[in-house]
């Protein structure tokens, strides 16, 4: 896991060498024939990457995006209106029937179908009209890292070409350098807090919420910590009742309009006795962990999760576990 996470910058650089014209063609197609609806099709880490892509599309292009409950197609056989829709599937393996079947359904129904997939020979890649390989190389670790980061980048490329934003696309080209820098950040204070922990809340909001979702999953997978992700806007509802002295919270305060509220939330939770790990850029003096930044705030989640992955792999080892052999898990999960 640690080796693969460390290599993410190189694989992102490799991805950026390919399919540039294909992404541009897709952008032209989507602008010429705007979809009537947009859905994402994904599970696990890939669904968190889809959440990020959806945020970018909604914020930058103005199209509402929904995450498709795949059982509507695979089990319920619901008569979904596919004509002129856009269906975006994200997967590392491209093998799971509940990801492949909806893409086939939407394509047969007249939708534009896009697969952001690492295995370019997979059933998913063969099923979509527009297949964009992630170029993450073989991923041996059960816990996805480089394939997740390359999925984020592919989603950003899709949104950037759809919007036809040259400045944003130029910022994406700078990601390899920013990712390399992110691997060198010292997040050891988090290991000190979390080595004895049995539970944690991970908080983000807006563009940082997909990072919170992914981090919570990795805590469960690799360190056997009961972790839940919440939006900073939701934590003051029911989850607030769980906070007590010493309860650990990891808060991702990336740049953007949600940052100030997350910094204020960290201070409030400290006042309630929580053991807060505030991850924020170096200009935030209240931070406990330094977040890397990209060339533009909308890309900060890509480098933020890179810093987290390095810590997560080392935390698993510090807890006497093997991050490469999570309990009860396998690399490819096939569900209907």
């Amino acid at each position: 896991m640690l080796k693969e996470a460390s290599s993410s910058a190189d694989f992102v650089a490799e991805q950026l060498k390919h399919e540039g014209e294909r992404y541009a063609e897709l952008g032209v197609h989507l602008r010429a024939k705007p979809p009537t609806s947009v859905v994402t099709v994904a599970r696990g880490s890939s669904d968190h990457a889809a959440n990020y892509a959806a945020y970018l599309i909604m914020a930058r292009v103005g199209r509402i995006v929904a995450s498709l409950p795949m059982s509507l197609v695979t089990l319920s056989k619901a008569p979904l209106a596919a004509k002129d829709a856009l269906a975006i599937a994200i997967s590392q393996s491209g093998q799971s029937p509940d990801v492949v079947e909806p893409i086939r359904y939407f394509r047969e129904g007249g939708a534009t179908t896009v697969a952001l997939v690492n295995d370019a020979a997979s059933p998913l890649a063969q099923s979509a009209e527009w297949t964009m390989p992630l170029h993450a190389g073989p991923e041996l670790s059960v816990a996805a890292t480089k394939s997740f980061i390359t999925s984020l980048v592919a989603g950003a490329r899709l949104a950037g070409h759809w919007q036809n934003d040259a400045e944003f696309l130029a910022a994406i080209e700078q990601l390899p350098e920013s990712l390399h820098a992110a691997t060198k950040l010292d997040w050891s204070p988090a290991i000190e807090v979390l080595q004895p922990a049995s539970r944690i809340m991970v908080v983000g909001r807006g563009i940082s919420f997909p990072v919170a979702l992914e981090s919570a999953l990795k805590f469960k997978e690799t360190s056997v910590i009961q972790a839940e992700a919440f939006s900073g806007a939701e934590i003051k509802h029911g989850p607030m009742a769980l906070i007590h002295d010493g309860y650990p919270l990891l808060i991702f305060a990336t740049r953007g309009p949600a940052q100030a509220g997350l910094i204020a939330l960290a201070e409030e939770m400290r006042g309630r006795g929580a053991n807060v790990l505030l991850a924020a850029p170096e200009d935030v003096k209240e931070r406990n962990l330094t977040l890397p930044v990209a060339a533009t705030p909308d890309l900060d989640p890509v480098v933020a999760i890179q810093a987290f992955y390095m810590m997560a792999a080392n935390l698993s080892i510090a807890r006497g576990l093997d991050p490469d052999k999570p309990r009860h898990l396998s690399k490819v999960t096939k569900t209907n």
Side-chain angles (χ1 to χ4, degrees):
M1 177 183 175
L2 188 60
K3 179 180 179 181
E4 289 184 346
S6 300
S7 69
S8 295
D10 296 331
F11 288 100
V12 168
E14 181 64 23
Q15 183 195 124
L16 294 175
K17 296 177 183 177
H18 301 278
E19 285 82 46
E21 291 185 3
R22 187 71 168 153
Y23 275 102
E25 289 172 6
L26 177 57
V28 170
H29 170 76
L30 292 172
R31 290 193 302 276
K33 190 178 180 181
T36 55
S37 59
V38 186
V39 295
T40 60
V41 183
R43 292 284 190 207
S45 289
S46 294
D47 191 43
H48 305 155
N51 191 302
Y52 173 69
Y55 187 96
L56 290 178
I57 291 169
M58 288 189 279
R60 290 180 160 271
V61 186
R63 308 299 296 187
I64 296 173
V65 185
S67 175
L68 177 73
M70 284 94 90
S71 63
L72 287 174
V73 174
T74 61
L75 301 180
S76 300
K77 309 301 180 184
L80 301 177
K83 185 174 175 55
D84 297 328
L86 168 64
I88 305 167
I90 303 180
S91 175
Q92 194 285 132
S93 70
Q95 299 288 334
S96 186
D98 65 348
V99 176
V100 176
E101 189 174 332
I103 290 299
R104 289 176 177 163
Y105 175 91
F106 274 86
R107 185 172 184 179
E108 290 169 1
T112 297
T113 51
V114 179
L116 309 179
V117 58
N118 197 34
D119 184 351
S122 65
L124 176 61
Q126 301 304 311
S127 299
E129 176 186 3
W130 299 81
T131 294
M132 307 301 198
L134 300 180
H135 296 286
E139 191 169 55
L140 302 179
S141 172
V142 173
T145 53
K146 60 177 182 166
S147 66
F148 178 74
I149 289 175
T150 51
S151 295
L152 295 180
V153 176
R157 294 176 79 187
L158 190 161
H161 280 285
W162 186 354
Q163 187 187 19
N164 198 24
D165 185 332
E167 185 176 352
F168 183 59
L169 293 170
I172 292 173
E173 295 291 329
Q174 300 177 50
L175 277 170
E177 182 179 353
S178 301
L179 285 164
H180 273 304
T183 64
K184 298 177 172 59
L185 291 175
D186 179 15
W187 274 38
S188 56
I191 296 177
E192 295 171 12
V193 170
L194 298 176
Q195 185 175 354
S198 60
R199 65 185 76 177
I200 186 172
M201 288 186 195
V202 190
V203 182
R205 191 177 183 190
I207 198 72
S208 69
F209 186 54
V211 176
L213 289 167
E214 174 64 8
S215 299
L217 177 61
K218 287 300 182 286
F219 278 133
K220 290 190 279 272
E221 283 182 333
T222 62
S223 284
V224 200
I225 296 174
Q226 179 60 50
E228 291 187 86
F230 292 100
S231 163
E234 294 291 338
I235 197 169
K236 291 186 180 182
H237 294 267
M240 181 73 82
L242 295 173
I243 301 298
H244 56 74
D245 286 350
Y247 196 108
L249 270 76
L250 172 58
I251 299 177
F252 283 96
T254 59
R255 295 179 298 171
Q259 185 186 64
L262 290 167
I263 294 171
L265 176 66
E267 187 62 27
E268 180 180 348
M269 293 298 103
R270 288 186 178 117
R272 293 178 180 272
N275 195 344
V276 175
L277 292 165
L278 175 63
E282 61 182 0
D283 63 342
V284 178
K285 66 179 186 304
E286 302 94 335
R287 75 189 187 283
N288 307 94
L289 307 168
T290 300
L291 278 182
V293 297
T296 184
D298 276 356
L299 296 174
D300 283 357
V302 182
V303 292
I305 199 64
Q306 174 72 88
F308 170 84
Y309 280 154
M310 308 301 289
M311 182 278 293
N314 287 312
L315 173 64
S316 178
I317 295 167
R319 288 170 63 88
L321 300 167
D322 184 347
D324 298 328
K325 296 179 180 179
R327 294 192 305 196
H328 315 308
L329 298 178
S330 60
K331 185 62 185 171
V332 178
T333 302
K334 294 185 178 182
T335 51
N336 293 311

